[in-house]
Amino acid sequence: MRYIAITLLFFILCGPAFADAAFDCDNGTSPDAHIAGCTVMIESQSSNPRNLAIYYGNRALGYFAKRDFQHAIADFSSAAKISPEPYYYVGRGIVYAAIGDCDHAIDDYNQAIELEPLYPRVYNNRGNCFRKKGDLNAAISDYTREIKINPKESVVYFNRGVALKMQGNYAAAIDDFSAAVSLNPKYALAYFVRADTYIDAGDLKSADRDFKTASALDPKLDRQSTQLTVPPIN
């Protein structure tokens, strides 16, 4: 009887519904599909620990897409407990940052860095949190580390430029915004913030040129309606 039960379970788990759940967990067409598929896979209890962690991680992404942050945090926590890989700590850190809890986010980014010092964008993400907390020196240091690892990431130059602008280091900020638009010529926000920085530096001609470029790329950008005291986190 035990052999028959195991055989029946095998066919149940390997049937079409189970295969569809596995597909949805990995490639669902909507957050709800991800969540439903991953839930089936998690509750099947048929996977090895590493696969189970992946299912929790994928479901966390579905919850995050639905802005269900508490469930996303819970699932990333389950994944990290089962398989302590940097991806799950970075994912949970991003969720914490999204709800404004930069202290917990920084703790998670630190854990990810301890596991994998060259993990993509982790220094950029931690730098964003340091910037939000007002620790501009730490933010600039992290952006600089990220640039050394990924020198072609335009957004990191933009982020460092924003921190430098906030410090009043306008020349260095302009250099970083220039690097950002050199890597991504359609980076409207970088032109826009560089224009604002040119005004800070007293170069109104260059500012006018950049505002026109930014407006052509993204007509929604309007200096009068955009607050740049704390420029956007990107």
Side-chain angles (χ1 to χ4, degrees):
M1 289 295 294
R2 183 172 182 273
Y3 173 77
I4 294 172
I6 291 173
T7 303
L8 288 173
L9 180 63
F10 175 81
F11 281 112
I12 290 170
L13 293 181
C14 293
F18 190 75
D20 288 346
F23 179 85
D24 284 343
C25 182
D26 191 39
N27 299 292
T29 57
S30 69
D32 286 331
H34 274 287
I35 292 167
C38 292
T39 299
V40 170
M41 301 304 294
I42 291 166
E43 292 178 352
S44 73
Q45 299 181 345
S46 64
S47 300
N48 63 47
R50 190 169 187 276
N51 284 345
L52 184 59
I54 291 171
Y55 301 147
Y56 274 112
N58 284 355
R59 191 170 72 172
L61 294 175
Y63 281 128
F64 182 69
K66 288 172 64 70
R67 300 185 67 79
D68 186 344
F69 299 130
Q70 293 308 314
H71 278 104
I73 289 170
D75 273 358
F76 276 129
S77 297
S78 295
K81 185 176 181 179
I82 295 166
S83 181
E85 298 179 32
Y87 171 81
Y88 304 123
Y89 291 103
V90 170
R92 190 172 65 182
I94 289 171
V95 181
Y96 276 128
I99 62 176
D101 187 350
C102 269
D103 289 331
H104 278 102
I106 289 169
D107 287 343
D108 274 345
Y109 296 143
N110 290 344
Q111 183 65 42
I113 289 167
E114 185 175 330
L115 291 166
E116 176 48 73
L118 300 181
Y119 194 87
R121 287 215 178 188
V122 67
Y123 292 106
N124 177 73
N125 293 350
R126 191 174 69 173
N128 286 342
C129 268
F130 280 132
R131 192 176 94 199
K132 188 171 182 179
K133 286 169 63 69
D135 190 345
L136 298 179
N137 287 331
I140 290 167
S141 177
D142 267 0
Y143 295 138
T144 301
R145 289 182 186 181
E146 187 70 42
I147 287 168
K148 289 179 180 178
I149 297 168
N150 295 304
K152 300 299 185 180
E153 287 276 1
S154 60
V155 68
V156 188
Y157 289 96
F158 174 85
N159 285 334
R160 189 174 67 176
V162 168
L164 289 164
K165 171 180 167 60
M166 292 171 71
Q167 281 191 331
N169 190 346
Y170 303 131
I174 289 168
D175 286 343
D176 272 350
F177 297 137
S178 298
V181 298
S182 177
L183 290 166
N184 180 8
K186 296 184 178 181
Y187 201 158
L189 189 58
Y191 286 108
F192 188 84
V193 182
R194 187 174 69 173
D196 194 74
T197 310
Y198 274 129
I199 289 177
D200 293 331
D203 186 347
L204 301 184
K205 182 177 180 180
S206 296
D208 182 62
R209 180 196 64 215
D210 271 0
F211 279 131
K212 288 177 180 176
T213 302
S215 179
L217 291 168
D218 185 354
K220 296 190 300 293
L221 289 174
D222 178 354
R223 185 168 188 267
Q224 290 184 345
S225 63
T226 303
Q227 299 298 317
L228 290 178
T229 303
V230 180
I233 287 186
N234 207 333

